[in-house]
Amino acid sequence: MKSIRYNHTATLLPSGKVLLAGGNNATSGLLVSAELYDLATGMSQGTGSLPRARQGHTATLLPSGKVLVTGGTDNEGKALDSAELYDPASGSWSTVAPMKHARFGHTATLLLPSGGVLVVGGTSDGSQELQTAEVYNPAETPSWSSVDPLNHARFGHTATRLPSGRILVIGGAAEPEIEEFDPDSRTWSPLKPLPTNRFHHTATLLPSGEVLVTGGTADGSTGLQKAEVYDPVGHSWNDAGSSMSQARFGHTATLLPSGRVLVTGGRTGTLSGLSNTEMYDPRNGSWSTGLPLSTGSFQHTATLLPSGRVLVAGGFGNETLDRTEVYAPGPGGWRDELALPVARSGHTVTLLPTGKVLVVGGTQDGSSPLSSADLYDPASGTWSATTALGTARSGHTATLLPSGKVLVAGGRDEGGPLDSAELYDPDTHGWSPTAMPQGAA
């Protein structure tokens, strides 16, 4: 990287580049600098500086393609209430309305389909957890609005957007309770507590809709080896198979396209970063040891790239790091899957919010379009048929809408180009016709 940094943020932009912003380099203090990492070249280039140096902040990619940065601490260790927007088109930052509460150690989660951002908890002074929550409203003039407070104040927790659109908040310093935020009513509901108290853990949404919780610490100094899985439908906790091979906190957990979860780095209790990695397979609840990082680290970032690779950047090992590493599936990293129920080309493939994959239409012989559609479940590795299209088509488009529905438009049937379109509803597994603009075939 251009700058040594840890406790920074890393955000995958629509361009495929990764925005690294702020953090600490342990020598000159907090950073105002930001940079763009380009995996295609393996190089990082500078971009506009943050208006204010900060670490321990959050960075959230908005539907507009801009990035919202909130809170964190300044060079004096004081919590910040300021918020800033990064515009990839101009490479510049702008200040937006401040939050209602200064905070760090908080979470910021995108709400769908509104495009708002829910900011939860954290601390303002490092000793007292916050119970407050607020929502960023990305209107022409951005603003913040308060929502009902949490049932429990928390810091170092996680917030996960579920397929239902609700936000699941887990853990926090000395806080085993979990709760769920409803974006429609803007209220909180208490749920079954964590079996193991923890904070500075990770929470990863699995393709099944369950949430994998790994590591963390219960006392702020000793890492946990235990991993657990939460079922948001049955509101129950289960062991995630055997424990991890290594107790850790300050680590990362990244869902891979295969459905497995890659856990990297962290620390056990000393200030030395861990180099070992491990992989969780939700199919059988098993853990396996992965290839180690070249340099042990904690408080680094791990970003899933469009290629399926994972970019690990910065962090703290025995010293602050400027290195980047990329995890790529190597020998043994690939596995054979069940064949498609129907051979096809000229079809579309769409990843649904549920984690399943919708395959639609196409042709089997190059001339006769198909009306069939299939669903692939990466959690079980199985295919199942879903409701057929109203009109057989090939060479069409399929677009995932904010509602979770899929718009299939145009293409060809045996008679030539089509001007028809239809909507797939993953809740009912049904199709409904919808209009296309005239002349859109």
Side-chain angles (χ1 to χ4, degrees):
M1 297 186 295
K2 295 185 73 66
S3 298
I4 294 172
R5 64 181 82 221
Y6 72 98
N7 217 6
H8 56 287
T9 55
T11 310
L12 178 64
L13 302 177
S15 65
K17 295 182 179 180
V18 178
L19 173 68
L20 305 168
N24 194 331
N25 70 2
T27 302
S28 57
L30 303 194
L31 299 169
V32 295
S33 66
E35 53 191 290
L36 294 172
Y37 183 83
D38 187 346
L39 185 66
T41 62
M43 301 291 288
S44 191
Q45 65 182 53
T47 187
S49 294
L50 290 154
R52 190 162 190 176
R54 64 181 76 219
Q55 68 170 342
H57 51 285
T58 63
T60 309
L61 180 67
L62 304 179
S64 64
K66 296 182 179 181
V67 178
L68 173 71
V69 165
T70 67
T73 62
D74 62 13
N75 267 308
E76 297 178 353
K78 294 181 179 178
L80 298 171
D81 64 358
S82 59
E84 299 158 5
L85 273 181
Y86 176 75
D87 185 348
S90 62
S92 62
W93 295 85
S94 59
T95 301
V96 296
M99 296 186 294
K100 294 181 177 293
H101 299 274
R103 60 182 88 220
F104 66 96
H106 56 290
T107 56
T109 312
L110 183 67
L111 300 175
L112 292 177
S114 69
V117 178
L118 174 69
V119 172
V120 173
T123 178
S124 59
D125 59 9
S127 62
Q128 186 66 43
E129 296 83 19
L130 294 174
Q131 199 170 348
T132 58
E134 50 191 301
V135 170
Y136 173 78
N137 307 300
E140 185 174 343
T141 303
S143 62
W144 292 89
S145 57
S146 297
V147 297
D148 284 356
L150 293 151
N151 290 294
H152 300 274
R154 55 186 84 227
F155 161 82
H157 54 284
T158 56
T160 308
R161 188 177 66 245
L162 301 175
S164 65
R166 293 176 174 239
I167 308 300
L168 178 69
V169 173
I170 297 176
E175 184 49 69
E177 305 296 329
I178 70 171
E179 46 194 305
E180 198 174 72
F181 178 76
D182 184 341
D184 294 328
S185 64
R186 297 200 168 191
T187 57
W188 296 91
S189 302
L191 299 171
K192 190 172 183 179
L194 266 165
T196 307
N197 292 4
R198 63 181 85 210
F199 63 106
H200 294 321
H201 54 284
T202 63
T204 309
L205 181 66
L206 301 175
S208 63
E210 297 175 312
V211 178
L212 171 70
V213 175
T214 68
T217 178
D219 58 10
S221 61
T222 306
L224 296 171
Q225 198 170 350
K226 187 74 172 173
E228 293 155 335
V229 171
Y230 179 73
D231 177 2
V233 177
H235 301 297
S236 60
W237 287 96
N238 302 292
D239 287 338
S242 56
S243 295
M244 295 188 296
S245 63
Q246 175 73 62
R248 63 183 83 221
F249 67 101
H251 57 291
T252 62
T254 309
L255 179 67
L256 304 178
S258 65
R260 294 183 172 121
V261 178
L262 174 68
V263 172
T264 67
R267 63 187 181 102
T268 58
T270 66
L271 287 178
S272 296
L274 297 170
S275 61
N276 58 25
T277 70
E278 43 196 309
M279 193 84 71
Y280 176 73
D281 190 340
R283 295 186 182 195
N284 51 24
S286 64
W287 289 92
S288 58
T289 302
L291 294 173
L293 294 162
S294 63
T295 305
S297 67
F298 64 95
Q299 287 187 332
H300 54 284
T301 58
T303 308
L304 180 66
L305 304 174
S307 63
R309 297 181 176 190
V310 178
L311 174 70
V312 173
F316 195 94
N318 292 318
E319 59 183 1
T320 314
L321 303 170
D322 64 354
R323 68 91 176 88
T324 60
E325 300 184 43
V326 174
Y327 168 83
W334 296 94
R335 64 176 188 269
D336 292 332
E337 298 288 355
L338 292 175
L340 275 162
V342 177
R344 61 180 85 217
S345 63
H347 54 287
T348 56
V349 179
T350 309
L351 178 63
L352 303 177
T354 60
K356 293 185 178 181
V357 179
L358 175 68
V359 175
V360 176
T363 177
Q364 197 169 30
D365 56 10
S367 60
S368 301
L370 299 168
S371 61
S372 61
D374 297 301
L375 285 171
Y376 176 71
D377 185 348
S380 61
T382 57
W383 290 93
S384 60
T386 189
T387 309
L389 285 158
T391 302
R393 63 185 76 221
S394 177
H396 51 282
T397 61
T399 307
L400 180 66
L401 304 180
S403 64
K405 295 181 179 181
V406 178
L407 172 67
V408 167
R412 300 179 64 90
D413 65 5
E414 291 183 334
L418 295 168
D419 62 0
S420 62
E422 36 197 312
L423 279 175
Y424 178 77
D425 187 335
D427 294 329
T428 63
H429 303 292
W431 294 91
S432 57
T434 187
M436 280 181 67
Q438 289 187 352

